[in-house]
Amino acid sequence: MNREELRQSLEIKPVELKHLKQFNELLRYVFQVTDSDIEESGYEDANEITRAKRPVLKEADVIGWFDEKDTLVSQLAVYPCQVNIHGHIYDMGGVTGVGTYPEYASLGLMKDLIQLALTNMRERGQYISYLYPYNIPYYRRKGWEIISDTMTFKIKDTQLPKPVNVPGNVERLAYDDPDVIKVYDQFSHKTHGAMIRTELNWDEYWRWENEEERTAAVYYDADDQPTGFCFYWIAEEVFHIKEMVYLNQEARKGLWNFISAHFSMINHVEGATYKDEPIAFLFDDSDIKETIAPFFMARIVDVEKFLAEFPFDSAVEPFHFVVEDTEAEWNNGIFGLTWDEDETVHVTSEAVGQPVHLNIQTLTTMLMSYKRPTYLMGIDALTTDRKTLRSLERIIPNQNAYFSDYF
């Protein structure tokens, strides 16, 4: 059978619960997940993690290519998610589980899966999509662009901040304590870029973590209200921070007081933050090691609908975007923006005002505020006149995205 005949023998269709074992086998093969990886994550065996993935196939949109024997050879999953974008809650399609067996590579299978997934997301009202990129150039070609970073840091025990007086206290609780969920929910509803976590999202957050080794340190204020938490574990004299979330600076200081109280037990603190956070600047001794790396990518699925809901900071003179999208044909074209007297935006197909020429990747990273309009114009990622550029700087909120989830 030649390559064309091989392609013609395949069928694209939904991946159902009866395909669960095949779904996981393909994931394990593509991402080289070993039995030891599974055991280190707290699962007894491969069967247990297969059962744990059942909710994914029940709640997510999973599509794949099958051969004549109904064997799954290529797949893609889209999780139903919600994210906070500059204070507005959008439905988001979280792309994951992307993989093709090598003998079926270069047949264009994934291209068709991505285009079908984008169509399905659009129909479900998921006007933006996130993914963790295992291959940034590939996903850029498909319309995704970087929208958030992760910054890891390492602090010597002698560099830990000195205790400061705060009116509250810290309690050590289970990682899934209701107060932890409560704090994160409040945090995500006020933080640009963040996932609004459902039970499925929390399950995926901990999927490859051995939760038995994780503890939540929760800060309570003087009114006994939880206002911050830190997921952590201690191993080999290192205090590891998985994530620190706080609703105010009092909670931040209280959590660092708790960490510093481990001074005699540890040599270093290592952790990560998920936005442009000045960790070094907050310490008396700022000579610490910080490493920044791209973390998540996003792409606008439906430009017209996304713009209609976008919380622009103010009204400006009308202008129009001229968008290029190689994967979602409905995004190619003109999107005019006008504002009424109540500063409500209206999106039209008319070329009102001056043009802004850009592709879907640039539009996404700009509206997510990962890169500002002036920077993007400076690297020739967009073209417009100076007045419209100033308008873009004025109307797009200047907030870095926070995203700490993984799926």
Side-chain angles (χ1 to χ4, degrees):
M1 183 183 298
N2 62 38
R3 301 289 287 174
E4 182 59 30
E5 290 173 335
L6 180 61
R7 166 68 188 240
Q8 293 299 321
S9 70
L10 303 177
E11 177 187 8
I12 190 171
K13 63 181 183 179
V15 179
E16 301 174 346
L17 276 175
K18 64 182 180 181
H19 304 120
L20 179 58
K21 185 177 180 180
Q22 292 190 60
F23 173 80
N24 278 288
E25 286 176 348
L26 179 50
L27 282 182
R28 289 189 63 186
Y29 186 91
V30 171
F31 297 106
Q32 293 295 290
V33 179
T34 66
D35 289 339
S36 62
D37 291 332
I38 292 173
E39 292 173 3
E40 288 174 7
S41 298
Y43 296 96
E44 290 185 3
D45 52 35
N47 290 329
E48 184 181 0
I49 194 168
T50 296
R51 290 191 297 271
K53 278 289 188 180
R54 286 179 63 87
V56 174
L57 262 66
K58 294 176 70 172
E59 297 187 41
D61 176 29
V62 188
I63 50 179
W65 283 97
F66 292 81
D67 69 10
E68 295 170 325
K69 298 179 180 180
D70 203 37
T71 300
L72 182 63
V73 301
S74 180
Q75 67 186 25
L76 180 152
V78 179
Y79 283 3
C81 306
Q82 288 189 318
V83 289
N84 177 347
I85 297 180
H86 299 301
H88 180 81
I89 306 303
Y90 280 86
D91 287 337
M92 181 270 282
V95 174
T96 186
V98 178
T100 302
Y101 283 119
E103 59 267 34
Y104 293 92
S106 302
L107 292 177
L109 303 184
M110 192 52 62
K111 177 180 177 63
D112 288 352
L113 287 177
I114 287 175
Q115 291 184 336
L116 178 56
L118 289 170
T119 299
N120 292 345
M121 281 188 270
R122 185 189 187 206
E123 292 175 352
R124 288 193 299 269
Q126 296 167 328
Y127 301 140
I128 188 165
S129 171
Y130 282 21
L131 61 77
Y132 177 80
Y134 288 94
N135 186 326
I136 290 177
Y138 176 81
Y139 287 111
R140 275 184 165 151
R141 292 195 296 271
K142 300 302 180 183
W144 278 263
E145 187 51 273
I146 299 166
I147 55 96
S148 74
D149 293 328
T150 178
M151 184 173 67
T152 57
F153 56 87
K154 185 173 183 178
I155 305 169
K156 301 174 186 176
D157 56 353
T158 55
Q159 295 174 308
L160 286 168
K162 300 295 187 292
V164 295
N165 290 326
V166 291
N169 64 287
V170 170
E171 293 186 22
R172 288 181 293 114
L173 301 172
Y175 71 97
D176 58 352
D177 188 272
D179 280 349
V180 173
I181 309 301
K182 177 181 178 181
V183 170
Y184 180 81
D185 191 58
Q186 292 178 276
F187 172 82
S188 63
H189 278 84
K190 61 181 283 189
T191 303
H192 166 54
M195 176 90 84
I196 310 298
R197 290 179 191 154
T198 63
E199 183 177 351
L200 175 64
N201 302 136
W202 275 109
D203 287 344
E204 287 303 301
Y205 178 86
W206 291 108
R207 176 74 65 202
W208 295 105
E209 303 281 353
N210 189 338
E211 60 266 29
E212 294 180 359
E213 298 179 359
R214 305 298 188 267
T215 301
V218 181
Y219 180 81
Y220 291 87
D221 64 17
D223 296 322
D224 205 31
Q225 292 299 307
T227 56
F229 68 78
C230 171
F231 291 135
Y232 77 95
W233 76 100
I234 301 173
E236 299 179 352
E237 299 184 317
V238 176
F239 189 106
H240 297 270
I241 299 174
K242 176 174 172 60
E243 183 176 18
M244 182 185 291
V245 165
Y246 45 85
L247 304 181
N248 52 46
Q249 292 303 303
E250 176 191 318
R252 177 184 67 81
K253 294 173 183 177
L255 290 170
W256 276 106
N257 280 353
F258 173 78
I259 295 169
S260 295
H262 292 78
F263 176 85
S264 63
M265 301 168 53
I266 61 175
N267 291 326
H268 292 91
V269 173
E270 297 181 5
T273 60
Y274 298 90
K275 64 176 182 177
D276 184 18
E277 179 125 20
I279 292 292
F281 187 76
L282 296 173
F283 297 131
D284 288 337
D285 185 350
S286 294
D287 186 18
I288 68 174
K289 183 179 180 180
E290 297 174 305
T291 303
I292 192 167
F295 187 46
F296 253 69
M297 300 181 82
R299 72 113 73 217
I300 295 172
V301 173
D302 188 313
V303 171
E304 179 184 3
K305 298 295 179 58
F306 185 84
L307 290 173
E309 296 184 16
F310 191 82
F312 292 103
D313 268 349
S314 62
V316 294
E317 290 186 15
F319 67 91
H320 64 278
F321 290 115
V322 183
V323 181
E324 177 186 352
D325 190 335
T326 60
E327 303 299 319
E329 51 85 18
W330 56 84
N331 287 333
N332 281 304
I334 292 171
F335 300 88
L337 272 63
T338 63
W339 284 262
D340 60 25
E341 59 186 13
D342 295 324
E343 295 194 353
T344 300
V345 69
H346 298 276
V347 184
T348 76
S349 59
E350 299 178 10
V352 294
Q354 294 297 313
V356 180
H357 294 267
L358 73 181
N359 60 27
I360 193 69
Q361 300 97 302
T362 299
L363 181 63
T364 301
T365 198
M366 180 175 69
L367 293 180
M368 289 297 294
S369 296
Y370 183 75
K371 296 298 180 185
R372 299 300 296 173
T374 300
Y375 172 83
L376 293 167
M377 185 166 175
I379 62 170
D380 297 331
L382 68 80
T383 57
T384 190
D385 64 289
R386 288 292 172 183
K387 184 176 180 180
T388 306
L389 181 65
R390 289 194 293 272
S391 293
L392 290 172
E393 288 284 0
R394 176 181 169 188
I395 64 176
I396 299 173
N398 191 5
Q399 301 171 315
N400 294 106
Y402 177 101
F403 194 78
S404 59
D405 285 71
Y406 178 83
F407 46 78

